[in-house]
Amino acid sequence: MPIPSATSQAVRSRIGKVCVAITGSTAAEMIERASAVVKDSPFLEFRLDYLEKPLAALPKIKSFFAENTAATGIATCRRKENGGKFSGTLAAELEVLGKAAGAGFHLVDLEIESAEALKKGELEKLRETGVALIVSFHDFSATKDLEKVYDRMVPFQPDFFKIVPTAKTLTDNVTLMRFIEKMTESANIVGVCMGEAGIISRVLGLRAGSSFTFAAATQGEETAPGQIAARTLLETYRIDQVDNATKVYGVAGNPIKSSLSPIMLNAAFRRETVNAVYLALQATKVNDLLKLVQELPIQGLSITMPHKQEIMQHLENTDPLSAKIGACNTIMRTQDGKLYGFNTDVAGIVGPLEKRISLKGAKVLVLGAGGAARAAVFGLRDRGAEVFILNRTAETAQKLARQAGAKTIKKEAVAKTQFDVIINATPIGMAGMKGAAMLDAKELNTKLVFDLVYNPIETPLIRLARQQGIPFITGVEMFVQQGARQFEIWTGKPAPEEEMLRVVLHTLRQQAEAAVAEAPVPTKATTIPTKATTKPKKAS
């Protein structure tokens, strides 16, 4: 087993837990980005391979390090054939890394393929510069035999072993973290999984023993698939506070990238000083998710589409509401590992409506027949509403109608019918989701519109209701309500609903502003609802 060198020990004493990757097409651009983050995150990786002439940039970077003496830098100049952007030869890469020490860098990253292609003595010349050596391995397709990868690296006696596979499943993260736990006492291991499913390793890898983890300077400047912005790692996930006692929760679905549940629930944990972290879990298969729950272990889950119905058969027990609906959106894991299901969607749907209208005898149209629609239909029927279901697959709507004592309605009949409420319980209108609207203006014959989609705040349906002068409820209200009930089930504490609402609205507004800023051609400004739109209002 490798023995940590004096160089690696000296470097370990000054590095942080999060290394921020700095990119840019010019040295000036890199320095600008590094200067923006160095005070909060002084551990930086300069991706020199992003530059056309890396050697020419070193004097400017040297000046940066001279002005920022607390900064610790990694120089990376990864060649194209090994997943980087540098088109030069191995000798050219080695020259850049060799001169990086003189420019103030403390570590250099040499990919395993380059290390294996070096001639005898070339690696020693690099070591003689005084920098700490990271030998790195990247697998952009899978997570395979990590011990075999480690054995390839041992002959080069690096100060840090950087092993970065890709998580194709959630449990690939467990494979990596088990490996880190096993090796961390005998070597400095840096390990993360790339890919959307790899967020678990990026947040929990340090707890497993990874020497540090990587982050993007800002969203949009990622240097690897699935990389998270530094501010998100530190503020949302509180990565520097995650320890062995930290309980793990998450939201599981497919797709999950746009979910704001991590922002909302992590804010709630922070406000109520609960030692817990909440992760986005890209779950393509329920069995993969269940295996992860037992392996980590995960204390509780939010379940979103498309798993709300399938998960039911894997639960030890459920509350009567979930059993009746046949869909569950909340799971709690007991100390003996058993999973119990709850449905907080009903409270999130019925609660906001009851603040505005009496549901007894109300005529309600529900669009969709999936998990959220089931919660809406059963919840409304329990309150005495007359419920009509419109779904693109008529058979699914008919089955739900039979189960709940509701009715189905044909598309052509909608325009001729007056409703008290129309509820969208489909993903149509969700950020990143394509699909034509189910209703047009002439079919919106209702006193109130409720769109369960919360991202963006102003969905196409909400915009249509606004244009028609119809009162509406945004999905944010439902989203916060159901999340608050989940928090209470898991922690036994009252949920900080105002804080949860605040962070969700703040994030959605930021996203809307960013979308307007990135729009290729000027368009009419979208009106973003204020907090007041989520407050009760009487339907006309």
Side-chain angles (χ1 to χ4, degrees), residues 139-450:
D139 186 332
F140 292 90
S141 62
T143 298
K144 298 172 187 170
D145 187 340
L146 302 181
E147 291 196 31
K148 193 173 178 181
V149 172
Y150 177 81
D151 289 341
R152 275 178 72 187
M153 293 180 165
V154 169
F156 304 104
Q157 297 184 308
D159 298 293
F160 294 88
F161 294 72
K162 180 183 171 187
I163 297 178
V164 184
T166 294
K168 287 296 184 185
T169 65
L170 293 171
T171 46
D172 281 342
N173 291 275
V174 178
T175 300
L176 174 69
M177 291 192 295
R178 293 280 181 271
F179 166 76
I180 295 171
E181 286 168 358
K182 180 180 176 182
M183 308 303 295
T184 193
E185 284 188 19
S186 53
N188 294 324
I189 306 288
V190 179
V192 291
C193 283
M194 292 184 285
E196 264 190 72
I199 187 174
I200 302 163
S201 68
R202 292 186 181 277
V203 176
L204 300 181
L206 292 176
R207 184 169 78 170
S210 181
S211 296
F212 54 89
T213 190
F214 286 87
T218 61
Q219 194 174 347
E221 293 177 24
E222 298 83 5
T223 59
Q227 197 174 74
I228 305 168
R231 181 166 286 182
T232 304
L233 269 183
L234 293 165
E235 294 180 4
T236 300
Y237 295 111
R238 295 180 293 163
I239 192 171
D240 52 342
Q241 295 173 40
V242 171
D243 57 25
N244 289 331
T246 302
K247 291 183 176 180
V248 181
Y249 298 86
V251 54
N254 182 27
I256 207 66
K257 194 174 183 180
S258 298
S259 175
L260 297 191
S261 290
I263 287 171
M264 178 174 71
L265 269 303
N266 281 313
F269 289 144
R270 182 175 62 243
R271 172 55 64 94
E272 297 302 313
T273 59
V274 177
N275 186 6
V277 66
Y278 183 102
L279 307 172
L281 306 174
Q282 176 63 35
T284 52
K285 294 181 180 177
V286 167
N287 285 339
D288 179 38
L289 174 65
L290 293 168
K291 189 176 175 186
L292 179 77
V293 170
Q294 300 300 340
E295 288 277 352
L296 270 182
I298 288 178
Q299 301 298 315
L301 285 172
S302 307
I303 302 294
T304 187
M305 63 176 192
H307 303 311
K308 290 184 182 186
Q309 290 167 264
E310 186 185 345
I311 197 72
M312 291 286 290
Q313 62 190 291
H314 301 284
L315 305 177
E316 181 73 19
N317 208 341
T318 68
D319 64 339
L321 200 54
S322 296
K324 185 177 183 180
I325 295 168
C328 155
N329 77 314
T330 309
I331 290 174
M332 185 168 72
R333 183 180 182 275
T334 61
Q335 285 186 330
D336 57 1
K338 292 178 179 175
L339 304 180
Y340 288 81
F342 303 85
N343 193 303
T344 68
D345 279 341
V346 172
I349 296 166
V350 171
L353 285 170
E354 287 187 323
K355 290 176 185 175
R356 293 160 169 90
I357 63 169
S358 170
L359 290 175
K360 190 172 178 63
K363 204 168 184 177
V364 184
L365 172 63
V366 175
L367 306 177
R374 294 183 71 85
V377 172
F378 277 97
L380 291 163
R381 287 294 298 131
D382 272 356
R383 298 304 196 278
E386 184 183 7
V387 180
F388 296 80
I389 305 166
L390 176 64
N391 190 52
R392 286 188 171 151
T393 307
E395 295 80 9
T396 315
Q398 288 159 2
K399 183 180 178 183
L400 175 55
R402 285 194 302 271
Q403 292 170 338
K407 302 168 185 175
T408 58
I409 188 169
K410 291 184 178 177
K411 181 82 160 63
E412 53 268 28
V414 172
K416 304 168 191 171
T417 311
Q418 180 67 38
F419 297 99
D420 293 299
V421 186
I422 292 178
I423 300 175
N424 176 38
T426 75
I428 292 171
M430 184 185 295
M433 184 72 66
K434 293 179 181 177
M438 289 186 72
L439 301 181
D440 57 32
K442 69 178 184 296
E443 295 166 323
L444 221 57
N445 298 325
T446 183
K447 297 174 185 175
L448 182 64
V449 167
F450 191 178

